């Protein structure tokens, strides 16, 4: 069922488009040699170009272009072999040149798309209109002095990719799924670290509402939202506001708004009348960006396997469910970890262990897959001990917890704790006899037709054997004795 | 007298140890001290640094080192950023600005051993044709008219040209966006070369109109300009519009002659208002070239008439954006205000002069939403047609000959109340900038009032060699050895 807002006079549909600003992973800035590292002391990563000193000129950083092209290829998008940089003119203290260099009219990447997975198991293809390269601005610091603002130009000139979606999204959930998927793709490609809390990925959200079947109504843009959760909240809040405006007989005006997460509402930043006239024109300091087809082909050949392809492969080659496959590919490191565990083993068992005990252990210990206390090799060894019946499933869980706690190899834990599975039928028979003798009343009830007590006996036998009995052999022995 | 030597003669004299680099620099510093109070050709004189450079040059000469410009004193247009030496662009807004970097062109000159006497006056941000717009006062032309009026040196490289004409420097750097090398060179009776766009790096030159700005030399002979350009030009990876091609031996090209060359006469440059003496000089120039073995061919540059109008859209548009960085935030002059906007307004209102403000407003207007297509976009289309005119003409001829300016130098104060009359000075020079082709102005004669007039040679893109060859032939034929009034009484 599609997402709607129930208004007083009937349901409203949402129309959402996202502009994602993704900071390009590169050693130096888009048009200068200055470094891009996050968190450096203010104004320590600024060249004369970034500070727009007289006579300074921009020179395109080829690595940033390569990153944009890789991203375009990863989005299945058209790569424009000729693109151009324009100047977007406006005055602000943290914009040193008085203009931002951006690809307004002729972006380096054209139309592509992203497939998102939704909670109900369905997928939806979201159109990407374009991707272009542009410079980031500096940062104004208003809290350093009672009457003055300070400027940090470290970020000034850092390369951003602006990735514009079609207005194809219809719910906060879809928008969230799109953002997460975009982040996954960017991280797979290594073109953006996707860290929204550090500001290296931000979103402008365009929202409008309409009655089903109507053309688009006026949209508002909510600027600079910096988490997936806030994007979803901002959409809900802004859509609800617009429904209220329309239903109370008003008109939604095109404007730029800001989302206030603490109040859960959007407020107006500037109206259309106050919109800047950016006076775009081609930057005469830069030649058109002309890409060599062979160079693009080389980048294409160097792309990693992307999440959609990997997921499909996990479904086909590993026999995983689409859902499990999607969970495992959401993060590149997780997928690689899983592939190491699954190599030459029961893939479904590997997936179950990853998504069950392993993820739970990471959550519990607050560790990430990168610094997991259990290596992929060690988890694989544990599965091997299960496969060759050295241990049973229940003991395996115990061994795994010991691996998490101690970091020891599963084999040595099994040996030192004496957890090897008991397959000696004499010992099992002995334990069965002891349990049946100790529970004459339960035995009588079972024989009187209470079949369910079989499980009770299994549990008692396993308990008596400290969990180490081979479950199949225990079952077999019990069946024999009970039916005797 | 050392000041009357050409740059090449001075170079050869230094090599022969006829005199020292210190003597040469001191002679020029003495001329600066004597004449600059009247001419105002320099904004900043760096005498101490110049003598240190000259002393170093003497040491190198003594050690047998040979560099193309070793020990030769030059003036540097105050649009080139010079490390540790104030660079004003002729504007109040940059009055306190001392760059921490050296422009590529001046770095190339220093590499070749040049001595920098100081920073030459110019129209503010190179916007002007008279040097009247400098925040540091107008430059006076070393030449005087029969009526005794103080004349403009032309602009924007008025300080550079006046300094060279008055023998205060052997040569100078200049820049040309719409005629700013060729027009003042013509007004001051010296040689000025605007090379092909991309020949010299723009890195470190205060930008006026990025797609038109091009650095070049001014000097008293064609060969001097050729030598200077040979040092100034070089591919620079720091300027994306710099041309990655070898720098030929321009000086050698000056000796090529014009035998067998086809010289075009663009018919659209002839108009009814052209003074007879300029028309006569033009014809004389064509006759000299014909006598030297060139064939004269009539050609058409049909879009010439749109050149000036197009220029006054493109150049201000780019300038309005290029000058946005002068906001008082990071360098230069700041006038505080109660908030950011007020600081911007006060800083820029007090920092920029009237002509700069006018062009920022024109440029902002032509780029505005709703006007962009009608002005800027259309101007760019016309610009492409102007380039095609030249391309078509160069299919028939090797170079073009035209007058440099429609008149000789005018008096200070004239044309000041009519910006359009002022802009018309550039009517013959602007098309070369629009097309990016090289252009040279050579002094070819005097008008009836004893003022120099120049002829302009235009060439194919990156064929400065032919332009120098033609210029050198004109120079020999014209035998222009007149001295400006200010030097006339100086004993030789």
């Amino acid at each position: 069922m599609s997402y709607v807002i129930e208004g007083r006079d009937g349901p409203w549909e949402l129309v959402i488009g996202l502009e994602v600003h993704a900071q390009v992973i590169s050693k130096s800035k888009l048009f200068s040699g200055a470094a891009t590292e996050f968190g450096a002391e203010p104004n320590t990563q600024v060249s004369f170009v970034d500070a727009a000193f007289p006579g300074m000129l921009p020179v395109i950083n080829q690595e940033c272009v390569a990153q944009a092209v890789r991203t375009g290829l990863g989005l299945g998008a058209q790569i424009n072999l000729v693109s151009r940089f324009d100047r977007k003119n406006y005055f602000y203290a943290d914009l040193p040149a008085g203009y931002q260099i951006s690809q307004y009219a002729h972006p380096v990447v054209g139309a592509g798309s992203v497939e998102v997975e939704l909670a109900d198991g369905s997928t939806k293809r979201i159109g990407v209109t374009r991707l272009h390269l542009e410079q980031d601005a500096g940062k104004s610091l208003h809290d350093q002095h009672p009457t003055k603002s300070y400027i940090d130009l470290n970020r000034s000139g850092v390369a951003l990719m602006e990735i514009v979606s079609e207005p194809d999204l219809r719910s906060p959930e879809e928008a969230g799924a799109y953002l997460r998927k975009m982040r996954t793709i960017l991280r797979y490609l290594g073109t953006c670290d996707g860290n929204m809390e550090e500001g290296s990925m931000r979103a402008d959200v365009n929202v409008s509402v309409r009655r089903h079947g109507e053309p688009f109504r006026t949209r508002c843009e909510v600027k600079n939202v910096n988490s997936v959760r806030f994007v979803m909240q901002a959409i809900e809040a802004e859509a609800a506001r617009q429904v209220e405006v329309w239903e109370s007989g008003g008109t939604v005006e095109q404007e730029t708004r800001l989302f206030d997460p603490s109040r859960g509402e959007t407020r107006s930043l500037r109206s259309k009348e106050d919109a800047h006239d950016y006076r775009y024109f081609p930057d005469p300091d830069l030649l058109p960006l002309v890409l060599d087809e062979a160079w693009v082909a080389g980048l294409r050949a160097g792309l990693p396997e992307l999440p959609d392809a990997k997921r499909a492969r996990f479904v086909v080659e590993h026999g995983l469910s689409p859902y499990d496959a999607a969970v495992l590919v959401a993060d590149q490191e997780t997928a690689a970890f899983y592939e190491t565990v699954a190599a030459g083993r029961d893939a479904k068992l590997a997936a179950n262990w990853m998504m069950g005990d392993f993820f739970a252990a990471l959550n519990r210990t607050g560790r990430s897959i990168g610094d997991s206390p259990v290596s992929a090799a060690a988890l694989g060894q544990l599965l091997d001990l299960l496969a060759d019946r050295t241990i049973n499933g229940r003991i395996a869980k115990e061994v795994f917890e010991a691996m998490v706690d101690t970091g020891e190899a599963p084999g040595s834990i099994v040996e030192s704790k004496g957890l090897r599975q008991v397959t000696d039928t004499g010992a099992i028979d002995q334990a069965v006899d002891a349990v049946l003798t100790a529970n004459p009343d339960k035995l009588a009830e079972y024989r009187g037709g209470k079949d369910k007590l079989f499980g009770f006996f299994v549990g008692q036998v396993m308990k008596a054997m400290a969990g180490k009995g081979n479950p199949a052999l225990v079952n077999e022995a019990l069946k024999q004795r009970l039916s005797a | 007298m050392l000041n009357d030597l050409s740059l090449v003669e001075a170079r050869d004299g230094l090599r022969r140890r006829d005199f020292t680099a210190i003597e040469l620099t001191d002679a020029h510093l003495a001329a600066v001290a004597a004449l600059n109070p009247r001419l105002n050709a320099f904004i900043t004189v760096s005498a101490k640094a110049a003598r240190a450079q000259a002393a170093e040059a003497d040491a190198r000469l003594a050690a047998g080192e040979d560099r193309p410009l070793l020990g030769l004193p030059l003036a540097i247009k105050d649009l080139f950023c010079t490390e540790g030496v104030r660079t004003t662009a002729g504007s109040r807004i940059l009055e306190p600005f001392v760059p921490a970097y050296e422009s590529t062109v001046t770095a190339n000159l220093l590499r070749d051993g040049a001595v920098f006497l100081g920073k030459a006056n110019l129209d503010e941000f190179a916007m002007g044709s008279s040097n009247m717009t400098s925040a540091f006062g107008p430059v006076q032309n070393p030449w005087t008219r029969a009526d005794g009026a103080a004349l403009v040196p032309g602009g924007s490289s008025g300080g550079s040209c006046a300094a060279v004409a008055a023998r205060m420097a052997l040569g100078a750097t200049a820049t040309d966006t719409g005629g700013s090398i060729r027009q003042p060179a013509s007004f001051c009776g010296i040689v000025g070369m605007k090379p092909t766009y991309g020949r010299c790096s723009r890195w470190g030159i205060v930008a006026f109109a990025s797609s038109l700005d091009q650095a070049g030399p001014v000097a008293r002979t064609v060969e001097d300009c050729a030598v200077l350009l040979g040092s100034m030009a070089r591919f620079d990876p720091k300027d994306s519009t710099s041309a990655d091609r070898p720098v030929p031996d321009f000086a050698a090209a000056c000796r090529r002659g014009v035998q067998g060359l086809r010289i075009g006469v663009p018919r659209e440059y002839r108009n009814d208002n052209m003074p007879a003496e300029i028309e006569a000089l033009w014809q004389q120039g064509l006759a000299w070239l014909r006598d030297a073995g060139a064939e004269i061919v009539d050609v058409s540059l049909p879009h010439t008439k749109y050149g000036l109008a197009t220029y006054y859209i493109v150049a201000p548009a780019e300038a309005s954006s290029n000058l946005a960085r002068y906001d008082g935030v990071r360098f230069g002059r700041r006038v505080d205000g109660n908030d950011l906007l007020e600081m911007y307004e006060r800083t820029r209102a007090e920092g920029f002069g009237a002509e700069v403000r006018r062009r920022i407003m024109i440029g902002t207007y032509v780029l505005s939403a709703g006007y962009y297509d009608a002005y800027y976009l259309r101007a760019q289309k016309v610009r492409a047609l102007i380039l095609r005119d030249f391309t078509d003409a160069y299919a028939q001829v090797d170079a073009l000959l035209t007058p440099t300016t429609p008149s000789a130098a005018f008096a200070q104060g004239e044309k000041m109340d009519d910006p359009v009359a002022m802009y018309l000075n550039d009517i013959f020079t602007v098309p070369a900038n629009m097309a990016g082709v090289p252009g040279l102005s050579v002094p070819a004669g005097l008008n009836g009032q004893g003022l120099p007039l120049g002829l302009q040679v235009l060439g194919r893109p990156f064929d400065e060699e032919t332009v120098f060859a033609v210029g050198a032939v004109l120079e020999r034929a014209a035998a222009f050895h007149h001295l400006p009034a200010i030097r006339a009484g100086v004993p030789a």
Side-chain angles (χ1 to χ4, degrees):
Chain A
M1 189 54 215
S2 57
Y3 180 95
V4 292
I5 291 182
E6 287 301 337
R8 285 196 294 273
D9 318 318
W12 293 83
E13 185 178 278
L14 274 60
V15 178
I16 305 152
L18 292 180
E19 291 170 22
V20 173
H21 298 262
Q23 182 179 323
V24 172
I25 294 177
S26 65
K27 285 197 188 69
S28 52
K29 296 181 178 181
L30 183 52
F31 296 111
S32 84
T36 55
E37 195 191 334
F38 176 79
E41 284 296 302
N43 295 312
T44 56
Q45 300 187 152
V46 188
S47 75
F48 287 118
V49 175
D50 306 321
F53 267 57
M56 293 299 98
L57 296 172
V59 176
I60 186 77
N61 175 347
Q62 186 174 345
E63 180 53 21
C64 294
V65 177
Q67 291 288 59
V69 170
R70 284 188 191 104
T71 307
L73 293 170
L75 299 174
Q78 181 195 326
I79 305 302
N80 294 323
L81 295 179
V82 180
S83 62
R84 198 180 73 191
F85 288 97
D86 296 307
R87 290 186 184 177
K88 177 179 181 177
N89 295 283
Y90 65 97
F91 282 95
Y92 199 65
D94 58 23
L95 186 73
Y99 55 82
Q100 178 197 35
I101 305 177
S102 175
Q103 296 191 300
Y104 173 65
H106 300 282
V108 65
V109 174
S113 68
V114 169
E115 190 174 85
V116 298
E117 295 90 31
L118 301 169
D120 65 2
S122 67
T123 61
K124 182 172 176 180
R125 192 156 281 281
I126 306 300
V128 169
T129 314
R130 57 183 281 169
L131 176 155
H132 70 251
L133 278 167
E134 63 184 27
Q135 298 174 299
D136 207 345
K139 206 162 76 182
S140 296
L141 309 168
H142 300 296
D143 54 0
Q144 308 285 307
H145 187 276
T147 56
K148 294 180 178 181
S149 291
Y150 283 54
I151 308 292
D152 177 7
L153 294 180
N154 280 355
R155 227 174 54 189
S156 170
V158 165
L160 298 179
M161 297 179 284
E162 181 173 323
I163 307 167
V164 183
S165 86
E166 291 289 309
D168 288 348
L169 301 159
R170 292 290 175 272
S171 69
E173 188 211 345
E174 288 182 15
Y178 172 85
L179 263 183
R180 280 192 297 265
K181 185 61 176 286
M182 183 63 75
R183 189 168 57 185
T184 297
I185 293 172
L186 295 173
R187 285 175 170 168
Y188 263 69
L189 292 165
T191 56
C192 170
D193 66 24
N195 293 333
M196 295 187 85
E197 61 281 5
E198 286 178 6
S200 51
M201 190 170 144
R202 324 189 273 275
D204 297 343
V205 189
N206 284 285
V207 181
S208 65
V209 298
R210 65 175 177 186
R211 299 292 191 187
H212 184 69
E214 275 185 358
F216 295 151
R217 295 198 185 198
T218 306
R219 67 188 157 83
C220 290
E221 183 181 34
V222 186
K223 275 259 188 244
N224 251 333
V225 193
N226 62 2
S227 84
V228 174
R229 195 160 53 93
F230 289 162
V231 165
M232 296 169 70
Q233 289 173 2
I235 291 167
E236 272 185 71
E238 176 58 17
R241 184 191 71 86
Q242 292 183 15
V243 165
E244 174 59 30
V245 169
W246 289 121
E247 292 203 334
S248 56
T251 304
V252 171
E253 300 294 341
Q254 187 174 335
E255 60 182 352
T256 303
R257 301 181 68 85
L258 284 180
F259 178 61
D260 180 348
S262 59
R263 310 180 62 143
E265 63 184 30
T266 68
R267 55 190 155 75
S268 184
L269 181 67
R270 57 176 178 264
S271 69
K272 194 182 178 185
E273 289 74 44
D274 299 333
H276 292 118
D277 179 352
Y278 290 119
R279 293 171 283 125
Y280 287 100
F281 75 108
D283 191 327
D285 287 333
L286 291 162
L287 302 174
L289 181 59
V290 180
L291 307 182
D292 178 40
E293 211 159 348
W295 183 73
V296 174
L299 293 177
R300 189 190 299 274
L303 289 186
E305 184 182 34
L306 289 170
D308 287 348
K310 202 183 279 289
R311 190 190 58 198
R313 185 165 59 80
F314 284 2
V315 169
V316 172
E317 291 182 7
H318 295 198
L320 302 188
S321 72
Y323 175 81
D324 287 0
V327 170
L328 289 172
V329 304
D331 174 73
Q332 198 169 20
E333 240 179 314
T334 304
F337 194 105
Y338 158 75
E339 288 212 79
T340 306
V341 176
R345 303 192 176 95
D346 179 343
K348 283 202 76 144
L349 185 67
N352 289 341
W353 268 89
M354 287 279 300
M355 295 168 64
D357 296 75
F358 180 73
F359 282 172
L362 287 188
N363 271 339
R364 198 172 62 244
T365 55
R367 311 279 279 269
S368 72
I369 191 125
D371 62 351
S372 162
V374 175
S375 72
L379 185 54
Q381 287 162 19
L382 181 67
L383 299 194
D384 290 341
L385 293 176
L386 263 173
D388 68 12
R389 303 192 176 178
T390 304
I391 54 174
N392 64 36
R394 203 179 121 189
I395 292 296
K397 287 180 187 292
E398 192 181 328
V399 173
F400 180 76
E401 296 311 322
M403 290 163 72
V404 172
D405 291 342
T406 65
E408 272 185 64
S412 59
I413 293 171
V414 168
E415 290 313 320
S416 66
K417 292 195 169 182
L419 296 175
R420 208 168 254 282
Q421 180 166 248
V422 176
T423 50
D424 169 2
T425 48
I428 291 171
D429 288 346
Q430 216 176 343
V432 168
D433 283 345
V435 166
L436 296 183
T437 311
N439 295 284
D441 46 340
K442 293 282 192 309
L443 184 59
E445 283 179 51
Y446 180 85
R447 293 223 157 109
K450 209 165 175 189
D451 291 352
K452 272 190 268 176
L453 279 170
F454 187 79
F456 167 79
F457 292 123
V458 171
Q460 289 300 306
V461 172
M462 289 303 272
K463 192 176 168 189
M465 299 184 72
K468 293 183 286 185
N470 177 310
L473 295 178
V474 168
N475 275 1
E476 201 180 320
L478 260 174
K479 267 182 202 156
Q480 266 182 16
R481 293 302 294 267
L482 290 171
S483 61
Chain B
M1 164 126 202
L2 296 179
N3 300 64
D4 286 318
L5 299 175
S6 74
L7 179 124
V8 167
E9 287 165 350
R11 180 195 66 192
D12 296 344
L14 282 174
R15 284 177 182 169
R16 285 194 307 266
R17 311 289 165 81
D18 291 350
F19 44 85
T20 65
I22 279 283
E23 286 168 347
L24 188 64
T25 289
D26 279 346
H28 286 90
L29 286 173
V32 172
L35 301 178
N36 199 52
R38 193 167 132 203
L39 299 184
N40 197 28
F42 286 86
I43 292 173
T44 303
V45 178
S46 46
K48 202 174 153 193
R51 298 196 83 240
Q53 287 169 331
E56 194 191 323
D58 277 330
R60 291 179 185 278
L61 282 162
E65 251 190 71
D66 187 20
R67 302 193 200 190
L69 301 174
L70 195 51
L72 302 177
L74 306 176
I76 303 300
K77 186 177 184 178
D78 207 12
L79 203 62
F80 293 79
C81 290
T82 42
E83 188 175 352
V85 179
R86 185 172 72 136
T87 299
T88 68
S91 181
R92 285 275 163 246
I93 210 159
L94 279 178
E95 193 174 5
F97 178 60
V98 179
Y101 44 89
E102 187 76 34
S103 82
T104 297
V105 163
T106 50
N108 290 346
L109 292 171
L110 292 172
R111 173 204 64 206
D112 283 355
V115 171
F116 291 172
L117 298 167
K119 304 302 288 289
N121 205 341
L122 69 161
D123 280 299
E124 185 178 5
F125 281 102
M127 296 178 191
S129 310
S130 65
N131 223 299
M132 296 295 287
T133 72
S134 169
F136 299 87
V139 177
Q140 189 177 317
N141 195 322
W143 296 77
T144 35
R145 204 159 62 186
D147 65 4
L151 302 179
V152 303
S156 64
S157 310
S160 296
C161 291
V164 171
R167 275 65 175 169
M168 292 192 279
L170 289 172
T173 66
T175 61
D176 191 316
T177 304
S180 282
I181 288 176
R182 293 157 288 159
Q183 184 253 19
S186 176
F187 278 16
C188 292
I190 64 169
V191 183
M193 173 56 151
K194 180 203 93 77
T196 310
Y197 182 81
R199 183 60 97 177
C200 292
S201 169
R202 294 184 295 113
W203 193 89
I205 302 174
V206 175
F208 162 15
S210 310
S211 74
L212 301 161
D213 294 345
Q214 183 57 208
V218 295
R220 289 190 297 271
T221 73
V222 173
E223 190 184 4
D224 287 358
C225 279
V227 169
L228 285 171
L229 182 60
S231 287
M232 294 166 72
R234 175 156 303 190
F235 169 62
D236 182 4
K238 289 187 291 188
D239 174 1
S240 309
T241 62
S242 164
D244 187 4
R245 46 167 73 219
V247 178
D249 185 346
F250 297 125
C254 295
R255 295 183 284 274
R256 279 186 188 175
V258 295
Q259 184 67 45
L261 287 186
R262 293 165 66 87
I263 304 295
V265 186
R267 69 175 66 98
E268 290 79 7
Y269 278 57
R270 183 166 289 128
N271 65 51
D272 299 340
N273 302 325
M274 185 179 285
E277 53 194 5
I278 290 192
E279 170 69 33
L281 185 74
W282 192 4
Q283 292 308 321
Q284 177 63 68
L286 293 168
W288 286 330
L289 294 176
R290 196 182 294 114
D291 292 348
E295 184 187 349
I296 308 302
V297 181
D298 273 335
V299 296
S300 175
L301 299 171
H303 298 91
T304 298
K305 60 177 174 289
Y306 304 116
L308 207 58
T310 311
Y311 173 82
Y312 276 98
I313 291 169
V314 174
E318 293 180 8
S320 71
S321 178
N322 282 336
L323 269 58
R325 66 188 58 199
Y326 305 103
D327 57 7
V329 174
R330 298 167 313 288
F331 52 78
R333 175 176 294 251
R334 174 193 295 175
V335 184
D336 280 321
N338 290 317
D339 55 25
L340 183 64
L341 190 64
E342 201 174 283
M343 183 189 87
Y344 284 157
E345 289 172 353
R346 287 186 180 172
T347 297
R348 290 167 67 83
E350 294 186 24
F352 290 140
E355 183 62 27
V356 171
R357 291 203 301 264
R358 177 180 4 255
R359 297 203 196 188
I360 288 173
M361 284 189 281
I362 291 171
T364 303
Y365 180 83
V366 299
L367 289 176
S368 297
Y371 298 98
Y372 178 86
D373 288 0
Y375 291 105
Y376 188 79
L377 197 62
R378 179 162 291 227
Q380 289 294 20
K381 288 177 181 166
V382 176
R383 188 175 177 181
L385 295 176
I386 292 172
L387 173 60
R388 203 177 67 189
D389 283 357
F390 279 98
T391 307
D392 291 349
Y394 289 135
Q396 306 166 57
V397 297
D398 300 296
L400 302 166
L401 188 75
T402 79
T404 307
T405 56
S407 74
F410 47 89
Q412 289 182 350
E414 280 176 17
K415 304 181 197 240
M416 291 304 287
D417 50 352
D418 183 355
V420 175
M422 187 70 87
Y423 297 167
L424 282 170
N425 262 291
D426 301 330
I427 191 151
F428 298 144
T429 48
V430 151
N433 298 83
M434 300 304 282
V437 302
L440 177 81
S441 179
V442 186
L446 298 179
N447 75 354
Q449 294 179 299
L451 297 181
L453 293 171
L455 287 174
Q456 175 178 237
V457 183
L458 301 174
R460 294 191 179 99
F462 297 106
D463 185 17
E464 287 86 355
E465 291 165 277
T466 298
V467 175
F468 279 125
V470 175
V473 166
L474 291 171
E475 181 180 52
R476 268 195 298 281
F480 185 94
H481 298 305
H482 309 282
L483 281 175
I486 203 163
R487 298 295 308 184
V490 178

